[in-house]
Amino acid sequence: MDRSRYAYVRTEPAQTLPPPPSSTGVIGWLHRNLFGSWLDTVLTLVALYIIWLVVPPIVNFAFVDAVWTGTNREACLGPEVGACWAFVKARLGYFIYGLYPVEERWRPDLVFLLGAIGIAWLLWQNAPKRAWGAAFFFLIYPVVAYFLLTGLPALGLPVVETSRWGGILVTLVCSVVGIVFSLPLGIVLALGRRSRMPVARLVSITFIEFVRGVPLITVLFMASVMLPLFMPGGVTIDKLLRALIGIALFASAYMAEVVRGGLQALPKGQYEAAQALGLSYWKMMVFVILPQALTIVIPGIVNTFIGLFKDTTLVFIVGIFDLLKTIDASLTDPAWATPVTRYSGYAFAAVFYFVFCFGMSRYSIYMEKRLSAGRRR
Amino acid sequence: MATIDIEHGAASRVAWYNDPRIRGLIYQALLVAVVAFLLYEAISNAAENLRRANIASGFGFLNATAGFSINQKLIEYSETSTYGRAFLVGLLNTLIVAAIGILLATILGFIIGIARLSRNFIINRMAYVYVEVVRNLPLLLQLLFWYNAVLTPLPAPRNSIELPGGIFLNNRGIVMPTPVLESAMAIVAAVILAGVVAAFAYRSWARRRQLETGMQYPVFRVALLLVIGLPALALVLTGFPISFEVPELRGFNFAGGTPIYPEFFALLIGLVTYTAAFIAEIVRAGILAVSHGQTEAGAALGFRQGKILRLIVIPQAMRVIIPPLTSQYLNLTKNSSLAVAIGYPDLVQVFAGTVLNQTGQAVEVILITMGVYLTISLVTSAFMNWYNRRVALTER
């Protein structure tokens, strides 16, 4: 082709022009996400105003104007005083252990440590010998923790009455007892609900639906008021133990429904394969069905546990000194009575519960992602 | 040898104690025996213990004089009323807080759930932070916060915070003006009723017309006119037959006006904000469950964002949303029993608290209380199941 007839011929592709500045970088992002339309702009401005109203006062209260040191209320008095962390610091021992004798506090500490090891062992996916971890947490740990906390005079551990327990110790005891007992009980109830034996099914369904239909408070009231009535004359049950029984029964009904979901999610072929191998009912359940069903519902179990952890605060109402109750009791102490004491105490409780519950919910989301890895496209 | 076994028949191949059918019967008989034993033991022990403590049994106590007062009551109640009456007061208080709570939590939950999906980054993050903070703190802590840390430190009635419209905010609650109705108000009420009926009639007429002719009618604007405009006109014509009794400070407290007690208010705020966080997550999951093609189809038809959401996405999401929403409604109702912690006179506080302490009839009181919640649970889920069936996808 004779190119000389043309004034100009492009010999290489034209350069790609960069996208218009309004659609890239910070400006583009702002335009897309915050000021896309006039409605979006209004919403953004309103939201920014709310943030401006809420965030600076909280930061000021918790950090800038907060009082960190002091020995009594004098430190936290004043017109511009924020959180009284000195109060929380002074009362920390009470918030953690309640009235547990100071020289024996290493015992709850050891129980916390062992519990942390057990839970880490169970939750960490690549931990060695996780079956041993489960055995440790569900069988050995409760017994060891029981004797460590209540005492065993034969081993030189003086007895500490449960009425002296309190604070975070009681909150954790309630939740760990709840999970340790509700999981096996819940599995039994779930199996009962799906059993072919009509009586077992009826008993399980009645229990599950009854417990799930009433508030936890009434279950706790029943445990604390009616349980002693049902006992033969002269037999008394510890107040904390009564609440623990109530919590464990309540949690097991919810756990049963979670486990049932897992059992229903398993393909029928798994049951048939186990039966074809000639396994008995219990062997089939323990070696084939439950390991798979429980793995599927780990997120559900964790969520039930989060609910249980928050619900342990209700023992407050039947007069047991959990964390919330110890904080509430400290607020009446005249030595620390200031206008900000109450906010500081509640803020401490809020941080404690948030750290635990948020951590657990992150774990459950992580497990859910991991478990659905095979189904992701 | 195998051949011999077959000749003997299946029945003789296993011992009777290995026959699954007989085993099942034995297990069940054992279960029945254990449950019956436990029940018998519990009941006989309870009867024995009650007799020894000289506590009467039976439900006769419901007719005895209660002798304590309740500040918030929807029906006549005084210290000379019976325990049965106190039970009714508590039950109504539970039902009213649950009903208002469910309504408000649903509205707030839908707003936050949709905000959580907004493309506006700040709105989206704010909804996320709200949901995570509220969901991960115990409800009891939140109730104590609202009651003890927000409402109780409000100023005394003398220094009330005055809101526009004659509303006063103080540490004894909110005092609002009481509407006083004159006789001409009956006409206005009739007009309101007529307006509502006319609006519904117009809507169904417009629908029919649209199906026949394809013409669209401004249903929303006309309905607004009928429901709001017509009564407003009637009010003007009858010369505003309504006046407000504005609360006045007399001595240490307000006289006149309608008070809303801080206990009720704290419980309501706590229940609504807490449950709304859970409802928001349900709404979000429900909307995400509607396939994106539906939104695109709506956009292809030329619908705007709001219409797509309202007419296409939400109706389909409702099918995913309703079952878990039902359990949240039940949870809210059950959680209202936390009222006992802040002294709102609900069923648990009045009945399982005060009445139980006064009469000592633990068995009857707890059984009645649990029975009430069980009944509420069953009725709510029956209603929601009916609604669920109505909106469920009908497939061929």
Side-chain angles (χ1 to χ4, degrees):
Chain A
M1 208 196 324
D2 179 18
R3 282 180 175 177
S4 59
R5 280 177 32 209
Y6 300 100
Y8 171 76
V9 172
R10 213 189 248 290
T11 53
E12 67 235 29
Q15 280 278 269
T16 314
L17 289 174
S22 68
S23 66
T24 59
V26 178
I27 296 172
W29 185 87
L30 284 177
H31 190 257
R32 229 181 7 262
N33 291 306
L34 298 183
F35 304 105
S37 64
W38 65 268
L39 182 68
D40 246 5
T41 311
V42 171
L43 283 176
T44 302
L45 293 179
V46 170
L48 284 176
Y49 178 67
I50 295 175
I51 291 174
W52 183 74
L53 277 186
V54 172
V55 175
I58 291 180
V59 172
N60 278 343
F61 177 79
F63 301 105
V64 180
D65 299 332
V67 177
W68 300 88
T69 52
T71 49
N72 57 31
R73 67 192 289 266
E74 302 292 328
C76 299
L77 283 176
E80 290 288 307
V81 170
C84 186
W85 298 130
F87 155 74
V88 173
K89 219 192 267 176
R91 285 307 195 122
L92 199 58
Y94 183 56
F95 290 164
I96 296 176
Y97 308 100
L99 296 171
Y100 213 90
V102 178
E103 63 277 11
E104 301 292 335
R105 282 183 183 172
W106 62 272
R107 282 155 54 179
D109 285 338
L110 188 59
V111 169
F112 292 156
L113 181 72
L114 289 175
I117 292 173
I119 287 173
W121 200 348
L122 274 182
L123 298 189
W124 182 30
Q125 295 298 306
N126 302 322
K129 301 243 187 300
R130 288 180 71 210
W132 283 101
F136 168 73
F137 189 70
F138 286 100
L139 297 175
I140 303 171
Y141 178 65
V143 177
V144 173
Y146 173 78
F147 284 115
L148 266 176
L149 290 177
T150 53
L152 193 64
L155 288 181
L157 297 173
V159 172
V160 180
E161 303 279 329
T162 56
S163 57
R164 308 197 63 176
W165 303 12
I168 290 175
L169 172 62
V170 163
T171 294
L172 292 180
V173 164
C174 288
S175 15
V176 171
V177 167
I179 190 89
V180 166
F181 285 90
S182 71
L183 196 54
L185 207 56
I187 291 173
V188 170
L189 283 169
L191 291 179
R193 189 165 190 164
R194 286 172 57 82
S195 163
R196 247 179 272 151
M197 295 186 269
V199 178
R201 204 163 54 225
L202 186 71
V203 170
S204 306
I205 292 180
T206 312
F207 179 84
I208 293 172
E209 294 304 332
F210 175 76
V211 172
R212 276 157 39 94
V214 299
L216 174 56
I217 291 201
T218 57
V219 174
L220 285 175
F221 268 123
M222 184 162 113
S224 75
V225 184
M226 271 163 87
L227 207 56
L229 280 179
F230 291 152
M231 289 292 143
V235 178
T236 52
I237 317 178
D238 186 82
K239 194 166 144 194
L240 180 62
L241 183 62
R242 276 182 257 160
L244 290 179
I245 293 173
I247 288 177
L249 291 181
F250 187 77
S252 63
Y254 282 82
M255 205 58 97
E257 288 298 281
V258 173
V259 174
R260 180 165 78 118
L263 291 174
Q264 283 176 349
L266 274 199
K268 214 172 157 217
Q270 294 292 328
Y271 293 85
E272 289 166 348
Q275 278 161 353
L277 286 174
L279 296 184
S280 71
Y281 177 81
W282 287 109
K283 277 196 174 142
M284 168 172 89
M285 282 303 164
V286 172
F287 294 115
V288 180
I289 305 300
L290 282 177
Q292 300 184 61
L294 290 181
T295 317
I296 297 177
V297 293
I298 285 179
I301 293 175
V302 177
N303 285 342
T304 311
F305 189 43
I306 296 175
L308 173 65
F309 188 77
K310 288 188 292 177
D311 280 348
T312 56
T313 50
L314 299 200
V315 297
F316 174 109
I317 292 166
V318 289
I320 289 167
F321 277 74
D322 76 321
L323 173 62
L324 217 48
K325 181 84 180 171
T326 53
I327 289 175
D328 211 56
S330 304
L331 298 179
T332 54
D333 178 3
W336 283 103
T338 71
V340 293
T341 310
R342 192 177 289 281
Y343 301 97
S344 313
Y346 287 164
F348 173 73
V351 169
F352 170 80
Y353 283 105
F354 184 79
V355 166
F356 272 73
C357 295
F358 189 68
M360 285 190 275
S361 81
R362 290 289 104 181
Y363 179 79
S364 112
I365 290 171
Y366 156 77
M367 278 309 294
E368 215 161 327
K369 286 219 175 96
R370 215 186 119 96
L371 292 174
S372 69
R375 262 171 278 146
R376 235 193 342 258
R377 276 177 290 175
Chain B
M1 268 202 325
T3 45
I4 297 172
D5 276 345
I6 290 167
E7 274 166 26
H8 277 256
S12 66
R13 276 172 61 191
V14 287
W16 64 269
Y17 51 82
N18 272 339
D19 186 336
R21 217 156 30 97
I22 296 178
R23 267 198 188 186
L25 286 179
I26 294 174
Y27 286 149
Q28 298 192 60
L30 271 176
L31 187 63
V32 170
V34 169
V35 171
F37 172 75
L38 285 179
L39 281 180
Y40 168 77
E41 217 18 48
I43 292 172
S44 62
N45 279 334
E48 169 73 9
N49 287 330
L50 288 174
R51 199 178 46 74
R52 206 172 320 124
N54 266 333
I55 295 173
S57 57
F59 295 94
F61 74 98
L62 288 173
N63 292 323
T65 306
F68 62 92
S69 63
I70 302 174
N71 64 7
Q72 179 171 331
K73 50 205 176 233
L74 296 170
I75 52 173
E76 279 307 308
Y77 175 85
S78 70
E79 286 177 32
T80 52
S81 302
T82 60
Y83 285 124
R85 193 81 180 165
F87 164 77
L88 276 184
V89 172
L91 177 61
L92 284 176
N93 281 345
T94 289
L95 291 179
I96 189 106
V97 82
I100 299 178
I102 284 174
L103 182 71
L104 296 180
T106 309
I107 296 171
L108 187 62
F110 267 78
I111 292 174
I112 294 170
I114 291 171
R116 190 83 175 68
L117 290 169
S118 165
R119 271 180 303 178
N120 185 317
F121 179 77
I122 295 187
I123 298 282
N124 183 328
R125 288 289 102 177
M126 265 174 72
Y128 173 73
V129 170
Y130 172 85
V131 168
E132 288 300 337
V133 168
V134 170
R135 267 199 325 174
N136 286 315
L137 295 179
L139 176 59
L140 184 60
L141 175 63
Q142 298 186 35
L143 287 181
L144 291 178
F145 172 77
W146 288 115
Y147 185 62
N148 289 333
V150 176
L151 295 181
T152 318
L154 286 174
R158 271 165 188 277
N159 308 316
S160 289
I161 301 168
E162 194 178 346
L163 300 177
I167 300 172
F168 293 91
L169 199 62
N170 58 50
N171 62 6
R172 297 202 193 165
I174 300 174
V175 199
M176 293 199 297
T178 316
V180 181
L181 308 179
E182 288 159 29
S183 55
M185 199 57 203
I187 302 171
V188 180
V191 171
I192 293 177
L193 197 69
V196 171
V197 170
F200 272 104
Y202 178 75
R203 191 183 70 154
S204 69
W205 175 83
R207 265 200 194 157
R208 233 183 12 254
R209 286 289 295 170
Q210 192 183 348
L211 282 178
E212 284 167 7
T213 65
M215 283 268 282
Q216 283 188 9
Y217 294 86
V219 176
F220 183 70
R221 266 170 285 171
V222 172
L224 207 65
L225 206 68
L226 286 171
V227 175
I228 309 269
L230 220 54
L233 192 69
L235 269 180
V236 173
L237 288 182
T238 50
F240 290 99
I242 185 169
S243 61
F244 287 94
E245 188 199 28
V246 180
E248 258 176 76
L249 191 63
R250 274 201 215 117
F252 290 105
N253 208 346
F254 278 93
T258 309
I260 298 178
Y261 293 98
E263 291 82 14
F264 174 81
F265 208 54
L267 184 65
L268 191 66
I269 299 178
L271 286 176
V272 167
T273 49
Y274 187 74
T275 314
F278 289 86
I279 293 180
E281 282 299 279
I282 291 168
V283 170
R284 182 174 75 104
I287 290 178
L288 286 179
V290 177
S291 90
H292 197 64
Q294 297 288 327
T295 313
E296 288 167 345
L301 286 175
F303 282 168
R304 266 175 288 116
Q305 191 87 45
K307 267 202 163 166
I308 293 176
L309 201 61
R310 193 159 50 83
L311 294 177
I312 298 176
V313 177
I314 296 215
Q316 296 185 65
M318 281 318 272
R319 297 179 177 133
V320 187
I321 290 174
I322 285 174
L325 193 63
T326 311
S327 13
Q328 286 310 320
Y329 288 172
L330 289 180
N331 278 347
L332 187 143
T333 310
K334 286 189 283 171
N335 281 337
S336 71
S337 60
L338 265 63
V340 69
I342 56 174
Y344 172 71
D346 81 323
L347 177 66
V348 171
Q349 207 261 347
V350 169
F351 205 60
T354 314
V355 172
L356 192 152
N357 281 338
Q358 287 193 6
T359 61
Q361 292 195 289
V363 178
E364 291 85 353
V365 167
I366 298 276
L367 281 184
I368 292 178
T369 313
M370 286 184 149
V372 167
Y373 282 102
L374 270 180
T375 314
I376 294 176
S377 289
L378 293 176
V379 171
T380 311
S381 51
F383 172 76
M384 291 306 280
N385 283 337
W386 166 81
Y387 183 66
N388 192 25
R389 264 199 309 280
R390 227 177 66 104
V391 300
L393 194 61
T394 323
E395 279 180 295
R396 275 175 298 169

